[in-house]
Amino acid sequence: MYRKEQPDPGEAQLAKERAPLPRRNRTEGHVIECDGNRAVISADVEPGGAVSEDYWSVGTLITIRADSRRTVGMLYQIESVEQFWQSKTPNKVRLHVELVGEIGDDADGRPVFNGGLSSYPHLGAAAHRIRNADLQAIFANTDPSAVSVGALSQSRDIDAMVSINSMISRHFAVVGTTGVGKSTTVSLLVRKLVATRSDVGILVLDPHNEFASAFPDISVKIDDTNLDLPFWLFRLEEFVEVLFRGRPAEPEEVDILRDLIPEAKQKFKAGGTGRGARKPGAHGNITADTPIPYRVSDLLALIDHRMGKLDGREARSALKSLAARINAAVHDPRYRFMFAHKTIVDNLAEVLSHIYRVPADGKPVTIFQLNGIPSEVVNAVVSVLCRLAFEMSVWSKARIKTVVLCEEAHRYIPADVGAGFGPTRAAIARIAKEGRKYGVSLGIITQRPSELDPTILSQCNTMFAMRLGNDADQQIMRKAITGASRSYINFLPSLANREAIAFGQGVSTPMRLMVEAVADDCLPGNELRSHTEVEADGGGAVDMAALLQTIRDPAEALTDAETDDGLAVYAETAAVGEQRPSVSARHSAAGTREPMPAGPMPAEPVIGAGDAHAGLFTYEGPLRRDRDKPAHRRSDAPTSPKRPETSGSSRDLISRFRTRDKD
């Protein structure tokens, strides 16, 4: 049988390499119209698809020869000159481009991009597809802190570089509708930030409890079961928000609190004996906003005392109403994170050290889960966290650096100035306007930028805009981007998942990019998805009675099934002025000593004395130091090796908080 001789593979490969390449004419058209921002190009399209389809693709960059430089334009619209498309003859098309900058060559012949225009293309100037070297020069980022967060949508072999220092120093925002990869993008940026800036702590305000699964190795988690945010840390406006549960406050009751809280703080400072207490109205630098502990029982006693001295029915009514509000809040199990300690202790240093990761101990990210906190006081809690982040940076002279990430930011800083909680808006606005001077930064994440305070949003100088279908939201982004690149906003409704338009200080020039994929085990919301995914072969019957009991008393349900991370819960409602025992104290009662679930604590507490197993946010040492006594006779004399220097500096920082007149 005749067998056809097979060609030698080596010869075939050699013939292939020597074969002429398909003709590729980079000159595609000529300028027929130009103004200060845009140009119109006339070009021919050969019949039969002779020209590569991506030559005139909307959203890509092209270059126009202008003297010794090349003007860069972004193609945002294509139209045919004729009404009908001819399949056998060339077609005339018009290309509308937005001028974004120019490229020149340096002394070594390497392309260098400049965002401005020194000259404009003349009529008849040749326009062509951009060279790969020019494209790399446009998106190159020489900042030492620049990292890759993905690849360009136009050319996937070119990295999309973002300057981390510029992004956090001038604040940033991630916007996009639900389901487009907004949370995944945020988790990627946090990872990049941690890898680049190990000196920065990150506080994530997480209303959906989805970010804990994204950072299992670099974060601690704080939720309503292990949160200690003492009530005396709240300013007067924030405390009033808690007592009135988001409703308008009664001015007379607020005035009573403003008068009596300083007295309660002075009484506690004097050791609870009344010695050293000043007469009413003379409290020195202590105000209702000074973060000094006090007892609720003392506050109620002062209210009762004033009630006994008054004869007026109206004033007595306000005092009774205020006392009832305080008692209701203290006995509400949902507010146990504020009122449930058995004893009032000066644990402010421990609270701040843990929340703001000082020191970080390898876990610089704090996931503050807000889902379990009563909705009517969430704004007050956010106000406390944002305010303290700013004040700590100021009083530490920028040695404590924090990035505050506000997920669903439109809840806290709505566009309507009459909505929301005033102190929360003021705390976030202060970070946005002044934070960069002191090392505290703001990251805003929202799906509705049109519902966000435009003044605060305008302070975010780096934007990652993902798919937005709402016209009002697109208009907000159009105002935020620079005039030479506004046509990028036209692509917002059609962006793919994980695709974004980045612009601002953090990038060298506006870019359309595909965000880098995140590993499945580090995706936000993995923990939630694992609870909702039930296998088809049967997820088991649901005991409705047990489920109802869990809903009615979640604390008892958690006690019956102790979690792996050792969290104890609090089944008993606290009495007035009492707070729940610390985590370690509860484990001691149970015969166990387990570490804090939210993250490893240092072998010796950062601030305050105590053994190595001291619980979170507890400090049983003296609140007053006998400075006149010799060191060996002081009540706070150390019985263990010398504390690290961080301890003293942190205590001094807390002292600055208290000596400053908050009014």
Side-chain angles (χ1 to χ4, degrees):
M1 182 176 179
Y2 175 75
R3 187 173 185 177
K4 185 178 180 180
E5 184 176 317
Q6 298 294 326
D8 181 42
E11 293 180 359
Q13 178 65 25
L14 183 61
K16 182 178 180 180
E17 292 177 355
R18 291 178 176 176
L21 294 174
R23 178 177 174 273
R24 241 174 132 176
N25 184 5
R26 292 182 61 248
T27 301
E28 304 292 346
H30 297 85
V31 175
I32 62 172
E33 184 180 336
C34 180
D35 61 17
N37 295 321
R38 293 178 172 83
V40 179
I41 298 169
S42 175
D44 293 331
V45 175
E46 298 295 331
V51 179
S52 174
E53 292 181 357
D54 63 351
Y55 271 34
W56 299 131
S57 177
V58 170
T60 59
L61 296 179
I62 66 172
T63 50
I64 304 171
R65 176 65 64 178
D67 299 330
S68 61
R69 296 179 175 271
R70 300 177 293 280
T71 302
V72 179
M74 196 272 292
L75 183 56
Y76 67 90
Q77 181 180 346
I78 307 173
E79 62 180 356
S80 172
V81 174
E82 302 296 336
Q83 187 175 1
F84 301 99
W85 187 259
Q86 304 295 331
S87 59
K88 296 182 179 180
T89 59
N91 292 272
K92 287 283 187 181
V93 296
R94 284 196 180 94
L95 313 174
H96 298 261
V97 298
E98 190 172 49
L99 306 180
V100 297
E102 62 184 12
I103 296 177
D105 296 329
D106 61 11
D108 298 328
R110 292 174 298 189
V112 178
F113 175 72
N114 179 19
L117 290 175
S118 60
S119 60
Y120 289 89
H122 56 81
L123 293 180
H128 49 78
R129 184 186 181 193
I130 193 168
R131 298 182 300 179
N132 196 62
D134 288 348
L135 198 60
Q136 290 180 345
I138 292 173
F139 296 103
N141 196 324
T142 58
D143 191 303
S145 67
V147 297
S148 173
V149 298
L152 298 183
S153 297
Q154 179 174 350
S155 181
R156 298 298 174 87
D157 58 342
I158 298 179
D159 290 335
M161 306 294 292
V162 175
S163 171
I164 294 296
N165 285 342
S166 297
M167 183 184 76
I168 64 173
S169 66
R170 297 178 180 272
H171 316 305
F172 67 97
V174 180
V175 302
T177 190
T178 303
V180 299
K182 187 168 68 273
S183 298
T184 303
T185 301
V186 172
S187 65
L188 175 67
L189 292 175
V190 170
R191 289 268 179 191
K192 299 289 184 179
L193 199 162
V194 170
T196 307
R197 293 289 303 273
S198 58
D199 61 324
V200 175
I202 303 173
L203 174 64
V204 182
L205 303 178
D206 184 7
H208 303 304
N209 296 3
E210 62 178 349
F211 281 104
S213 61
F215 315 108
D217 54 332
I218 59 173
S219 70
V220 297
K221 182 178 72 171
I222 298 178
D223 57 22
D224 61 312
T225 63
N226 68 345
L227 170 62
D228 278 308
L229 201 63
F231 63 91
W232 49 263
L233 188 57
F234 287 58
R235 281 189 170 183
L236 179 61
E237 286 181 294
E238 297 158 350
F239 189 58
V240 167
E241 179 80 358
V242 172
L243 295 182
F244 285 84
R245 306 183 185 232
R247 297 187 296 271
E250 294 292 337
E252 190 173 0
E253 296 181 32
V254 175
D255 290 339
I256 295 171
L257 286 173
R258 185 178 289 107
D259 292 339
L260 297 186
I261 288 179
E263 292 187 31
K265 291 181 177 181
Q266 185 64 40
K267 185 175 181 181
F268 180 85
K269 190 177 180 181
T273 62
R275 291 179 299 176
R278 302 172 186 265
K279 56 184 178 180
H283 310 294
N285 291 330
I286 298 179
T287 70
D289 293 336
T290 306
I292 291 180
Y294 66 94
R295 300 179 184 86
V296 174
S297 56
D298 289 342
L299 180 60
L300 290 172
L302 290 170
I303 293 175
D304 289 339
H305 179 69
R306 177 172 290 193
M307 198 182 309
K309 293 172 59 177
L310 293 177
D311 297 329
R313 182 176 301 177
E314 294 181 359
R316 188 184 300 273
S317 174
L319 289 166
K320 285 184 178 180
S321 176
L322 178 59
R325 293 184 199 278
I326 295 174
N327 276 301
V330 168
H331 288 85
D332 192 333
R334 299 178 303 157
Y335 294 169
R336 60 179 179 268
F337 66 91
M338 294 176 59
F339 297 105
H341 267 302
K342 282 187 174 180
T343 57
I344 301 298
V345 292
D346 187 3
N347 60 347
L348 178 58
E350 288 81 358
V351 170
L352 301 183
S353 295
H354 185 72
I355 293 178
Y356 298 99
R357 311 308 302 142
V358 183
D361 290 331
K363 295 190 174 184
V365 181
T366 301
I367 309 299
F368 204 103
Q369 298 189 338
L370 300 169
N371 196 29
I373 297 176
S375 59
E376 59 267 24
V377 299
V378 164
N379 280 331
V381 172
V382 171
S383 175
V384 172
L385 297 174
C386 294
R387 172 173 56 81
L388 290 177
F390 182 86
E391 290 185 352
M392 285 202 306
S393 294
V394 171
W395 287 102
S396 68
K397 298 181 179 179
R399 285 177 295 175
I400 298 178
K401 299 178 175 63
T402 306
V403 176
V404 180
L405 289 180
C406 292
E407 172 71 279
E408 300 286 353
H410 55 271
R411 296 184 177 186
Y412 318 121
I413 43 175
D416 183 4
V417 295
F421 183 45
T424 305
R425 180 191 300 274
I428 297 178
R430 195 176 184 191
I431 295 176
K433 295 175 182 178
E434 306 176 41
R436 61 183 297 267
K437 305 175 185 176
Y438 307 105
V440 57
S441 306
L442 179 65
I444 287 177
I445 304 103
T446 181
Q447 58 185 341
R448 294 303 303 272
S450 60
E451 297 181 2
L452 201 66
D453 188 330
T455 303
I456 296 178
L457 183 62
S458 66
Q459 301 294 325
C460 297
N461 289 320
T462 301
M463 296 277 188
F464 298 89
M466 310 187 80
R467 186 164 69 239
L468 288 169
N470 185 276
D471 291 339
D473 296 333
Q474 295 174 30
Q475 189 63 28
I476 294 294
M477 291 296 101
R478 186 169 285 106
K479 293 179 180 178
I481 198 169
T482 57
S485 305
R486 286 184 178 174
S487 294
Y488 272 105
I489 304 302
N490 296 335
F491 308 124
L492 283 179
S494 57
L495 292 177
N497 287 350
R498 286 189 21 243
E499 193 174 17
I501 295 170
F503 56 93
Q505 298 288 336
V507 297
S508 56
T509 189
M511 67 176 78
R512 182 176 175 180
L513 62 99
M514 180 61 69
V515 177
E516 181 181 318
V518 176
D520 290 343
D521 57 346
C522 291
L523 286 173
N526 265 344
E527 188 176 295
L528 302 178
R529 283 191 289 271
S530 65
H531 289 305
T532 56
E533 293 176 355
V534 180
E535 296 185 3
D537 57 354
V542 177
D543 186 342
M544 187 58 69
L547 177 61
L548 183 58
Q549 181 61 29
T550 301
I551 296 174
R552 288 172 173 168
D553 194 350
E556 183 178 349
L558 286 174
T559 304
D560 294 340
E562 187 82 0
T563 55
D564 293 337
D565 55 4
L567 277 181
V569 292
Y570 326 105
E572 297 182 1
T573 302
V576 174
E578 294 185 347
Q579 299 181 352
R580 64 177 178 273
S582 66
V583 173
S584 64
R586 293 191 300 273
H587 285 302
S588 298
T592 61
R593 279 190 183 271
E594 295 183 13
M596 254 302 299
M601 296 296 289
E604 190 163 75
V606 178
I607 301 169
D611 66 22
H613 300 283
L616 176 62
F617 304 160
T618 60
Y619 175 68
E620 301 298 340
L623 300 182
R624 302 176 64 201
R625 302 189 182 275
D626 305 319
R627 301 187 183 278
D628 297 333
K629 295 182 180 180
H632 67 279
R633 296 184 59 191
R634 291 179 187 170
S635 57
D636 63 335
T639 58
S640 58
K642 185 179 179 180
R643 302 173 191 166
E645 290 185 5
T646 311
S647 175
S649 61
S650 300
R651 177 62 65 184
D652 293 341
L653 179 62
I654 301 304
S655 298
R656 288 188 179 184
F657 279 128
R658 290 172 174 163
T659 56
R660 181 187 179 194
D661 188 357
K662 296 300 180 180
D663 287 341

